[in-house]
Amino acid sequence: MALALETVTGTVPLPDTKTPAQGYVVFAPNCGVLVDPADKKIIVGKMKLKLDSFGSFSIALPPTDSTGIQPEANSWNWSVSFELVGATVDPFNFALLTGSGPVDLSEVIQVAPLDGDYLVVPGPPGPQGDPGPKGDKGDPGSGSAEPWVFDAVVHGGAVGDGRWVTDLSVTSGSAVATSATAAFTPSNTNGKSYLLHGASASGDAVTGTLTYVSATQVLLSAPAGTTVSGATFLWGTDDTPAFRLCLTDGTAYALAHSYEFKVYVPIPPAGHFYVVAGQFVTGGSTLGCAQIPLPVIPATGPKVTCLWEHAGNSAGLELWSQTAPNITGATIVSFGVFANQNAQGDLIGSDGNPCVIGGPTQPHGYGRGDTFSNLFLDFTGSILTTHSKTGLTYEALGLDGIANAQVHDFYIGTTGSVARGDYATFAAFGGGYSIGLSMPADGNNDMSVIRNGTIGGGYTFGVYATEHTDITALRILYCWAALCPVGNYYGSVGAVHSITGSLVSIEACTVLVLVIGKGSDGIGPTMYLRIDTETSTPRFGDRSNGNDMGAAAGEIVLGGSPARAGLILDGPPGFDIIDAHGTATTVTGNYTLSFLDEVVLVDASADSTQTLPTALSFPARKRITIKNLTAHTVTVAPAAGGQLIDGAATKTVAQWAAITLQATSSLWYTV
């Protein structure tokens, strides 16, 4: 028997002008949950109605005394609240009796306080109801109280139904994939995008679309190139259009109003994630190369601020024992991978760094001062890209083409898993060109901020840090090169100003700091960084055979437990490298000094030679002291014949004597 409903109507005027209000009226059972045994239906949450142009509404509701409904509580009422533009109306409760006919609430709705003395006595709180889906705060024409907020689900239509299993199997040459998890249904597979680890002919990830076969099987859009079992498999609805729409409409609203808007990404239901499987939007110097392109704001007008906000905080790094991808909160997962390094490099060369979310760039991938979008992005969120065993994934967040950025409370990584061995050979990621995060390019970015974030790994380069970037609480793991200070990249404006980092934790990366190009007039980038690491081979380098390291300036303090003896320098650095522990090094024979050495105590049983580091581009402020503790001769020698010490080829140090040296250009001087 169908449940009988009663009609409720009403009109809401504005308190002052008495003109029709605009916005929403919300009905909710104050008992939280209603059950209809006859139809075996559960009625939960809120029912939200948009007021028409006359400020009126009409809705059919179950009566509160219906014998067909069994609420959680013995008695209950309907709760009415309002979300209006520029006005506040008090909520109230009412009982809706069976057979009462259409009920008009117009006289009950109080838009102004009642006269007289009265005392409000709150009753006991009812059980917590389901809050229901987040309201649409982002439609400028909806009359919402926050029209500058564009909800990815309500406004954009994002579904957020991404799913994953870690037990998929498929045979080489076959398109039938099997999962014992039995998570497949026609509605959650047919036409959905997928990402499968390790199934290409080269053993890399593959992507495509699905067709349902059974609860344990799906049909891939292309046969596997190699056999895999127990593979990570992700699939879901492509939400790329939803995010693009929010950015497009948000930009239009900002330009027509206050030059600010927000894209809000709510937590999807049941632990799912948002799939982004769209093609890159390209267009050379205008649009760059992004699945979700940031807007191009003219430099001559006011700056536009975009707040990209997700529900929660995604900075937590992946635990070493978890076998699942690091999907937490409102996570965006990009489906896409390059077939080889040439394909990746060709796209960078023609349209810029391929990224999930990004601003306008140029061919070769970096912004230039004359083509910045006049946009400030305040980003918090979680982005995963396809895991590639050789770094052939997309960049997660490419901000090189916008003017300013603050990136905070974020997680960026790939869909790999530490426990499943995806990051065991992180040196292999050097075979690609992928970047986790690139900050606004040198030139017009005063200033940008990185705060409380994690690069979870899988990238060739963890972070491209540019001048005027201030870094606080950054973690970088499982990349070929972790932190990359940018002096100049493919003709961008050369760096002049500083990059600072109060604490950057770097683990399991081949290169701790990789210098990208030389700054203006061959000087820079300049950096003042405190890095914590446990590596036995702390390495500093560049991609120019060591030729760019000498232009870099500043100092890097190494904390944690880096091994001095394992220090690797691709070239002579122009920046100082300081061991935070500051302890002296005691040697018992011939020794080649490291850039980390500051005091060397020679306690040898015979004559010995202490060989200095190269004087070329040796940090101007750094000094080295060598002290002889024995009666044997200690000879101090330069690394190369032409690097004289006070004009001499070598210096000797007598027992209990010490020599302190400082380098200038290619020569050593005692001080």
Side-chain angles (χ1 to χ4, degrees):
M1 179 177 178
L3 182 66
L5 303 177
E6 299 295 340
T7 300
V8 178
T9 63
T11 300
V12 185
L14 290 176
D16 298 327
T17 64
K18 305 304 181 181
T19 57
Q22 292 298 295
Y24 295 91
V25 58
V26 182
F27 292 87
N30 59 18
C31 62
V33 178
L34 306 177
V35 180
D36 177 8
D39 293 337
K40 293 183 173 56
K41 294 179 181 177
I42 299 177
I43 306 170
V44 297
K46 301 177 181 179
M47 284 162 279
K48 185 174 180 180
L49 296 178
K50 183 178 178 182
L51 299 175
D52 63 19
S53 58
F54 300 101
S56 300
F57 63 87
S58 177
I59 187 173
L61 299 174
T64 58
D65 63 345
S66 172
T67 57
I69 292 182
Q70 297 178 357
E72 288 183 324
N74 293 328
S75 62
W76 64 284
N77 292 323
W78 283 105
S79 173
V80 187
S81 59
F82 303 87
E83 297 177 10
L84 306 179
V85 178
T88 301
V89 172
D90 292 334
F92 61 90
N93 295 335
F94 74 98
L96 181 62
L97 302 180
T98 303
S100 59
V103 175
D104 189 347
L105 297 182
S106 298
E107 296 182 359
V108 182
I109 299 172
Q110 297 296 327
V111 297
L114 295 173
D115 295 331
D117 297 326
Y118 57 93
L119 176 66
V120 177
V121 180
Q128 179 65 46
D130 188 323
K134 185 176 180 66
D136 182 5
K137 296 184 177 183
D139 185 355
S142 70
S144 168
E146 294 182 304
W148 53 279
V149 179
F150 293 78
D151 188 300
V153 173
V154 179
H155 181 86
V159 178
D161 64 353
R163 301 168 182 266
W164 55 270
V165 296
T166 56
D167 64 348
L168 200 84
S169 300
V170 62
T171 303
S172 178
S174 173
V176 178
T178 302
S179 167
T181 305
F184 304 132
T185 67
S187 61
N188 75 20
T189 57
N190 281 329
K192 308 293 184 182
S193 299
Y194 72 82
L195 164 62
L196 172 59
H197 283 202
S200 74
S202 61
D204 223 326
V206 295
T207 60
T209 54
L210 289 177
T211 302
Y212 175 79
V213 176
S214 69
T216 58
Q217 287 189 327
V218 287
L219 185 67
L220 308 178
S221 57
T226 190
T227 298
V228 295
S229 61
T232 301
F233 183 66
L234 305 95
W235 76 99
T237 302
D238 181 10
D239 286 325
T240 306
F243 292 109
R244 290 180 182 174
L245 179 64
C246 287
L247 277 173
T248 300
D249 289 354
T251 301
Y253 179 83
L255 291 174
H257 294 82
S258 60
Y259 302 102
E260 181 171 307
F261 70 101
K262 178 190 292 186
V263 175
Y264 179 78
V265 186
I267 294 177
H272 296 314
F273 55 88
Y274 298 94
V275 174
V276 172
Q279 298 297 310
F280 296 116
V281 178
T282 58
S285 61
T286 302
L287 295 175
C289 188
Q291 291 177 294
I292 306 171
L294 294 173
V296 180
I297 306 300
T300 55
K303 183 178 295 295
V304 169
T305 295
C306 172
L307 305 172
W308 185 291
E309 177 185 317
H310 83 309
N313 185 320
S314 293
L317 54 85
E318 178 180 334
L319 189 66
W320 56 85
S321 60
Q322 72 182 67
T323 58
N326 201 37
I327 296 169
T328 302
T331 301
I332 292 173
V333 181
S334 170
F335 288 7
V337 65
F338 291 97
N340 50 57
Q341 189 181 38
N342 288 338
Q344 189 181 35
D346 288 346
L347 189 57
I348 294 173
S350 62
D351 293 289
N353 286 323
C355 58
V356 183
I357 302 174
T361 60
Q362 281 69 50
H364 302 302
Y366 224 64
R368 295 175 183 161
D370 57 347
T371 53
F372 278 106
S373 172
N374 193 16
L375 178 76
F376 172 70
L377 177 70
D378 186 305
F379 179 91
T380 170
S382 179
I383 302 175
L384 299 186
T385 60
T386 300
H387 182 74
S388 165
K389 65 179 184 177
T390 55
L392 300 178
T393 187
Y394 300 166
E395 179 178 1
L397 193 58
L399 308 182
D400 38 277
I402 67 173
N404 313 95
Q406 176 177 231
V407 185
H408 59 104
D409 302 321
F410 68 92
Y411 183 91
I412 286 173
T414 69
T415 52
S417 162
V418 176
R420 295 171 68 82
D422 292 321
Y423 302 114
T425 55
F426 48 85
F429 302 143
Y433 299 114
S434 58
I435 307 171
L437 164 67
S438 62
M439 296 301 287
D442 299 325
N444 189 31
N445 60 339
D446 188 3
M447 62 181 295
S448 293
V449 175
I450 300 174
R451 173 169 52 85
N452 187 31
T454 298
I455 304 296
Y459 299 102
T460 308
F461 313 101
V463 173
Y464 266 33
T466 49
E467 63 176 2
H468 292 303
T469 295
D470 187 25
I471 304 171
T472 305
L474 174 63
R475 313 156 194 87
I476 307 177
L477 301 94
Y478 309 114
C479 295
W480 178 72
L483 188 63
C484 305
V486 178
N488 187 294
Y489 182 31
Y490 280 108
S492 65
V493 174
V496 176
H497 303 280
S498 298
I499 303 163
T500 67
S502 60
L503 186 59
V504 181
S505 176
I506 299 176
E507 299 297 342
C509 294
T510 302
V511 186
L512 296 180
V513 175
L514 187 80
V515 177
I516 306 295
K518 298 178 180 179
S520 298
D521 300 322
I523 301 173
T526 302
M527 48 197 170
Y528 297 93
L529 306 169
R530 182 173 292 273
I531 294 176
D532 192 87
T533 185
E534 298 178 358
T535 180
S536 59
T537 55
R539 179 180 170 187
F540 298 82
D542 57 37
R543 302 209 90 181
S544 183
N545 298 316
N547 293 321
D548 293 337
M549 291 180 60
E555 66 179 29
I556 296 176
V557 179
L558 282 183
S561 56
R564 290 186 182 182
L567 180 67
I568 301 172
L569 301 173
D570 290 353
F575 51 91
D576 196 359
I577 305 173
I578 301 171
D579 188 337
H581 299 291
T583 56
T585 301
T586 300
V587 300
T588 58
N590 296 334
Y591 179 67
T592 299
L593 278 72
S594 161
F595 266 69
L596 292 174
D597 287 317
E598 295 184 13
V599 177
V600 175
L601 305 176
V602 183
D603 190 11
S605 58
D607 294 347
S608 65
T609 299
Q610 308 302 310
T611 304
L612 298 170
T614 178
L616 297 173
S617 300
F618 196 82
R621 295 182 300 155
K622 187 176 182 70
R623 297 180 178 183
I624 293 176
T625 298
I626 300 172
K627 185 176 181 66
N628 184 4
L629 305 181
T630 73
H632 302 286
T633 299
V634 171
T635 301
V636 179
Q643 299 179 17
L644 303 178
I645 306 172
D646 287 348
T650 62
K651 285 283 187 178
T652 58
V653 184
Q655 185 179 21
W656 306 122
I659 184 173
T660 299
L661 301 132
Q662 188 169 8
T664 301
S665 184
S666 62
L667 302 175
W668 288 98
Y669 296 95
T670 57
V671 294

